[in-house]
């Protein structure tokens, strides 16, 4: 159970996820760190499942991340298993961390009769503490016995750390007269500034798709979803996104299948927004739109500078329409900007233009926007046609409380 109150930005309820044929799920309380709650989940995938993944680019990434990176892109004719634990990230644990991964993957391989090259693990939680992998290994037999195609929601609970709610999203559509389902879960609340966040994502589909095509889509869509969110500008050592396609629906898709592309992007965007909505201590969901940049890459630099600014985020938390802080963030970003071409809007309210506050702007207009739970900040640089949209949340005192006692 979450220690802190459920985020006010959370969805009303966990979605009813469709069954993904060819995938079975189990969860168990192994006592890795937490007592009295599930903290390990297992996924068993049918033979022939394609698996794609994207991972943190952190220079201090964890042993499970390094192991998964080596395995992605391998043969797909055998079954596969994903095993995830919460409470300990098995990061910055040196040789012991590698040995923990080897012990867990070997045990899973033996029990599930799956090649070790098709056993993928993830760990999330405290950095720098030795993994009590014997507790996970002791739970494997129980997990195997619990495997069920309806267990994905329980799995979403099992991977939580400081999350205040489990995160799920899904889509169902038709391809050549056959029904295709996509369902995904995610965890993430703090240490969120993905560079591929502590963020874990697992997405499953019963479509049949070549591994290279699946990898191309997952990589591309990560850039416009999970790589466009930030809670606190910190990139985790453990960020992992794994997607599996079982092929059990009988429908074949490719990189160019529009219905599949649209549905997958929607699921990934939904999950990424839910991570921001559960940002530690978040009270407001903020969209930053930057247009008129020299190119899209520079637009994103500007947008992330605004989204990551503690001064911008605390102003939003205090419902202070301090547009000067947006000007500051644009100016410090390092991307090209011209003060006298800059236009800023809070929602639809024109706040500043041509290097100065708009003559028609009234402070109470901006203040009214800042009282809303969902806020949009629009910045036009007036240089060219580059654009970017990113999502963030406000920065409240609860963020400090959560992270001050995170290990206690």
């Amino acid at each position: 159970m979450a220690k802190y109150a459920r985020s006010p930005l959370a969805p009303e309820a966990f979605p009813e996820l469709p069954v993904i044929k060819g995938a079975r799920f189990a969860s168990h309380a192994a006592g890795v760190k937490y007592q009295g709650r599930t903290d390990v989940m297992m996924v068993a995938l049918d033979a022939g499942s394609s698996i794609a993944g994207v991972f943190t680019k952190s220079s201090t990434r964890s042993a499970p991340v390094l192991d998964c990176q080596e395995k992605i892109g391998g043969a797909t004719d055998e079954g596969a298993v994903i095993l995830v634990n919460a409470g300990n990230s098995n990061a910055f644990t040196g040789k012991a961390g590698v040995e923990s991964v080897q012990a867990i993957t070997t045990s899973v391989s033996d029990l599930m009769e799956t090649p070790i090259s098709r056993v993928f693990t993830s760990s999330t939680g405290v950095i720098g503490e030795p993994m009590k992998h014997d507790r996970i290994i002791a739970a494997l037999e129980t997990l195997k016995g619990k495997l069920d195609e309806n267990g994905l929601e329980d799995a979403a609970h099992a991977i939580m750390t400081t999350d205040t709610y489990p995160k799920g999203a899904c889509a169902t559509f038709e391809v050549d007269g056959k029904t295709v389902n996509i369902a995904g879960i995610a965890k993430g609340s703090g240490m969120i500034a993905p560079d591929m966040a502590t963020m874990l994502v697992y997405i499953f589909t019963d479509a049949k798709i070549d591994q290279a095509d699946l990898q191309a889509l997952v990589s591309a869509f990560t850039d416009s979803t999970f790589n466009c969110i930030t809670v606190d500008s910190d990139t985790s050592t453990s960020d992992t996104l794994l997607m599996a396609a079982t092929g059990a629906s009988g429908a074949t898709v490719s990189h160019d299948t529009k219905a599949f592309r649209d549905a997958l992007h929607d699921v990934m965007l939904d999950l990424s927004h839910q991570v921001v909505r559960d940002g530690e201590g978040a009270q407001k969901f903020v969209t930053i739109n930057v247009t008129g940049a020299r190119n899209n890459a520079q637009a994103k630099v500007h947008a992330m500078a605004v989204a990551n600014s503690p001064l911008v985020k605390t102003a939003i938390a205090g419902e202070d329409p301090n547009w000067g802080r947006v000007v500051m963030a644009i100016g410090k970003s390092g991307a090209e900007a011209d003060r006298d071409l800059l236009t800023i809007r809070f929602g639809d309210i024109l706040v500043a233009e041509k290097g100065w506050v708009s003559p028609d702007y009234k402070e109470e207009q901006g203040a009214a926007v800042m009282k809303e739970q969902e806020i949009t900040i629009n910045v036009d640089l007036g240089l060219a046609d580059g654009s970017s949209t990113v999502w963030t949340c406000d920065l409240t005192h609860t963020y400090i409380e959560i992270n001050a006692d995170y290990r206690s």
Side-chain angles (χ1 to χ4, degrees):
M1 298 294 291
K3 181 178 179 180
Y4 291 89
R6 183 179 174 90
S7 169
L9 304 172
E12 290 186 5
F14 192 85
E16 184 175 344
L17 301 179
V19 168
I20 305 296
K21 294 293 184 181
R24 294 174 297 142
F25 310 88
S27 305
H28 185 63
V32 177
K33 174 179 173 66
Y34 306 109
Q35 299 299 316
R37 55 150 285 188
T38 56
D39 58 357
V40 179
M41 76 93 161
M42 175 187 282
V43 186
L45 299 160
D46 282 359
S49 296
S50 299
I51 299 178
V54 290
F55 307 92
T56 180
K57 294 179 182 177
S58 167
S59 297
T60 54
R61 52 195 180 276
S62 69
V65 167
L66 293 170
D67 185 64
C68 282
Q69 285 181 300
E70 290 182 2
K71 294 174 177 176
I72 288 294
T76 61
D77 52 340
E78 301 280 356
V81 177
I82 299 171
L83 188 81
V84 186
N85 76 271
N88 186 317
S89 71
N90 195 15
F92 204 65
T93 46
K95 183 180 178 181
V98 175
E99 291 173 348
S100 290
V101 172
Q102 290 173 340
I104 293 169
T105 55
T106 299
S107 297
V108 171
S109 175
D110 292 343
L111 178 67
M112 302 298 291
E113 299 180 348
T114 302
I116 198 167
S117 62
R118 295 275 283 169
V119 178
F120 302 87
T121 65
S122 304
S123 298
T124 181
V126 174
I127 294 171
E129 293 186 2
M131 170 70 80
K132 297 174 181 176
H133 61 261
D134 56 321
R135 298 183 181 183
I136 296 174
I137 292 171
L140 294 179
E141 193 78 52
T142 300
L143 285 162
K144 181 180 179 181
K146 288 183 174 181
L147 285 167
D148 185 276
E149 62 184 11
N150 294 301
L152 189 51
E153 180 175 353
D154 288 340
H157 284 271
I159 63 176
M160 293 166 54
T161 51
T162 60
D163 305 58
T164 67
Y165 64 91
K167 301 161 184 67
C170 59
T172 299
F173 54 96
E174 300 286 324
V175 173
D176 297 329
K178 297 174 181 175
T179 300
V180 176
N181 296 299
I182 301 175
I185 60 174
K187 69 83 51 181
S189 186
M191 205 183 292
I192 302 296
D195 186 14
M196 344 199 285
T198 299
M199 187 185 79
L200 302 178
V201 184
Y202 305 96
I203 304 172
F204 307 92
T205 181
D206 50 18
K208 181 176 181 58
I209 182 171
D210 180 75
Q211 193 279 335
D213 275 10
L214 184 63
Q215 184 65 59
L217 286 174
V218 169
S219 296
F221 292 162
T222 295
D223 279 343
S224 58
T225 58
F226 293 103
N227 278 350
C228 286
I229 64 172
T230 180
V231 168
D232 49 20
S233 82
D234 285 335
T235 296
S236 168
T237 59
S238 307
D239 295 340
T240 296
L241 188 161
L242 292 174
M243 180 168 183
T246 68
S249 68
T252 299
V253 300
S254 74
H255 181 276
D256 298 319
T257 304
K258 186 177 186 303
F260 184 72
R261 291 174 60 92
D262 291 348
L264 177 56
H265 188 271
D266 286 349
V267 167
M268 292 175 69
L269 189 63
D270 188 339
L271 290 172
S272 68
H273 283 189
Q274 287 191 54
V275 171
V276 173
R277 290 178 180 277
D278 203 17
E280 290 170 340
Q283 299 289 310
K284 297 180 185 293
F285 180 79
V286 186
T287 301
I288 312 291
N289 295 314
V290 173
T291 57
R294 187 61 65 192
N295 52 49
N296 291 346
Q298 288 202 14
K300 186 174 180 181
V301 170
H302 283 301
M304 292 301 278
V306 175
N308 281 324
S309 167
L311 291 178
V312 172
K313 290 160 70 70
T314 50
I316 293 170
E319 300 182 343
D320 177 14
N322 192 338
W323 54 271
R325 292 183 173 181
V326 178
V327 174
M328 173 279 300
I330 293 295
K332 72 158 188 177
S333 76
E336 183 180 354
D338 185 328
R339 180 198 64 191
D340 294 335
L341 297 177
L342 197 63
T343 299
I344 299 171
R345 286 181 168 83
F346 291 158
D348 295 328
I349 304 300
L350 178 62
V351 176
E353 60 181 339
K354 299 177 182 177
W356 193 244
V357 64
S358 170
D360 297 324
Y361 174 67
K362 293 179 175 57
E363 184 81 358
E364 56 267 27
Q365 294 175 312
V369 173
M370 290 296 151
K371 291 184 183 301
E372 297 174 3
Q373 197 171 63
E374 301 201 8
I375 296 168
T376 300
I377 297 175
N378 299 301
V379 178
D380 188 87
L381 294 156
L383 297 172
D385 58 1
S387 63
S388 178
T389 298
V390 305
W391 298 272
T392 190
C393 57
D394 54 344
L395 181 60
T396 70
H397 195 274
T398 303
Y399 179 89
I400 299 171
E401 294 174 358
I402 292 171
N403 286 283
D405 66 5
Y406 177 63
R407 295 196 301 166
S408 59

